[in-house]
Structure formats: structure tokens, C-alpha cells
């Protein structure tokens, strides 16, 4: 566990304090299996595209979301938490995936499996079926799954 304490001063006058408590990532992981979430592979009726994610995307999203988590801002602020570079917010990845789909589902289920590093060019895959849709986001360098989800219009 690590606390990141930010304080703002105007000269000698203390104006503001923020404390963020985070858990550090462990070098060997957390003992979880790699078989997490929706791991089914896309079939022949899939749509694929590469997303170009700039290094400052986490800071752009921070301005909109109000999420000032240091792992999303810069490489130097992400390193104390076990990341080599900044990572994009999982909620941004999910929202961007949903925006790419033609449907507007009632239900969405998402498994965040590993972080999406910034900058990067992850591969997004989407496939429609009678039940709804499935989507995946892969790291293009390692071809490892970062996010998997499904959508449906069922209540």
C-alpha cells in the first residue's frame, strides 16, 4: 500500500491537501489465473480496428472525468505504482469501445484484464450475434488481452 500526498501552498500558507491511497502492483502478479473474464475468441463476423492512443490521453480524460489518479497521468507518476508508463482509464476504454458499436445496448459486462499502456495502438475487435455483441481489446505488441466484454438488450 502506498499513500501519495499532494499539498498546495501559496508561500507559507497551506491551501490544499489530497491523499490518495493505492495498492502497489507486485512483480509476479497477484496469484490470479490468466483465465479471467470473457476469453472467447472472435469469430468470422468481426470488425477490427487499431486505436491510436497518445501519451496525454489519460490527462485529457482526467479533465473530463475528474479522476486525478497518478497512474493515468505520466510515466513518472505511474512508476511508484508498478507501471512502466501511464495507463488509460478502464472506463475510458469501455466507453470508447461502446462508442464504436452501432448498437446502443441495455446491458454491458466488462472484464478489465490488464492495463492499456500509453502511448500505444491497441487492437479493438467487435462481433455482433443474435444475443448481443462481444468485444475485445488487445495489446498489439504482446497480443495479450486487455479488456473483454459483452453487450445485450435484455432487461
Amino acid at each position: 500500500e502506498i499513500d501519495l500526498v499532494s499539498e498546495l501552498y501559496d508561500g507559507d500558507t497551506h491551501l490544499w491537501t489530497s491523499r490518495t491511497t493505492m495498492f502497489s502492483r507486485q512483480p509476479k502478479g497477484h496469484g490470479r489465473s490468466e483465465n479471467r473474464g470473457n476469453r472467447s475468441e472472435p469469430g468470422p463476423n468481426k470488425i477490427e480496428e487499431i486505436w491510436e492512443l497518445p501519451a496525454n490521453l489519460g490527462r485529457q480524460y482526467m479533465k473530463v472525468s475528474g479522476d486525478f489518479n497518478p497512474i493515468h497521468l505520466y510515466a513518472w507518476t505511474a512508476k511508484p505504482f508498478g507501471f512502466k508508463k501511464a495507463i488509460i482509464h478502464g472506463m475510458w476504454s469501455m466507453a470508447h469501445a461502446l462508442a464504436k458499436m452501432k448498437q446502443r445496448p441495455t446491458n454491458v459486462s466488462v472484464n478489465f484484464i490488464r492495463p492499456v499502456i500509453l502511448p500505444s495502438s491497441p487492437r479493438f475487435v467487435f462481433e455482433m450475434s443474435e444475443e448481443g455483441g462481444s468485444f475485445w481489446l488487445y495489446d498489439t505488441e504482446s497480443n495479450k488481452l486487455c479488456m473483454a466484454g459483452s453487450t445485450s438488450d435484455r432487461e
Side-chain angles (χ1 to χ4, degrees):
E1 184 175 300
I2 187 171
D3 285 338
L4 180 64
V5 179
S6 304
E7 295 181 333
L8 182 64
Y9 289 86
D10 183 7
D12 291 334
T13 306
H14 180 256
L15 301 174
W16 176 76
T17 299
S18 171
R19 178 181 305 271
T20 303
T21 303
M22 306 287 279
F23 290 102
S24 176
R25 294 185 51 164
Q26 300 301 310
K28 293 184 180 180
H30 299 283
R32 289 183 162 186
S33 166
E34 283 298 312
N35 188 18
R36 292 178 274 171
N38 178 359
R39 297 292 304 254
S40 64
E41 291 297 317
N45 298 324
K46 64 185 178 188
I47 298 168
E48 292 189 44
E49 65 182 44
I50 301 296
W51 296 350
E52 296 299 332
L53 308 183
N56 69 344
L57 185 59
R59 295 186 299 278
Q60 291 175 22
Y61 186 70
M62 171 201 67
K63 293 175 186 175
V64 176
S65 68
D67 184 347
F68 291 81
N69 189 327
I71 63 175
H72 303 304
L73 305 180
Y74 300 95
W76 67 270
T77 59
K79 283 183 183 179
F81 303 99
F83 299 99
K84 293 180 181 179
K85 295 182 179 182
I87 63 172
I88 190 55
H89 302 68
M91 296 308 291
W92 180 91
S93 299
M94 181 186 70
H96 197 64
L98 293 173
K100 295 290 183 176
M101 300 174 196
K102 302 245 185 283
Q103 67 170 160
R104 296 296 175 244
T106 305
N107 295 300
V108 178
S109 175
V110 179
N111 292 299
F112 301 103
I113 297 160
R114 65 181 36 85
V116 177
I117 304 296
L118 295 175
S120 66
S121 303
R123 179 172 55 100
F124 174 68
V125 181
F126 174 67
E127 182 176 45
M128 285 296 299
S129 69
E130 290 180 19
E131 297 83 35
S134 296
F135 57 95
W136 302 266
L137 189 63
Y138 295 90
D139 178 301
T140 51
E141 289 184 23
S142 67
N143 202 35
K144 290 185 176 179
L145 186 61
C146 297
M147 178 179 73
S150 60
T151 65
S152 72
D153 291 325
R154 286 179 271 135
E155 293 294 325

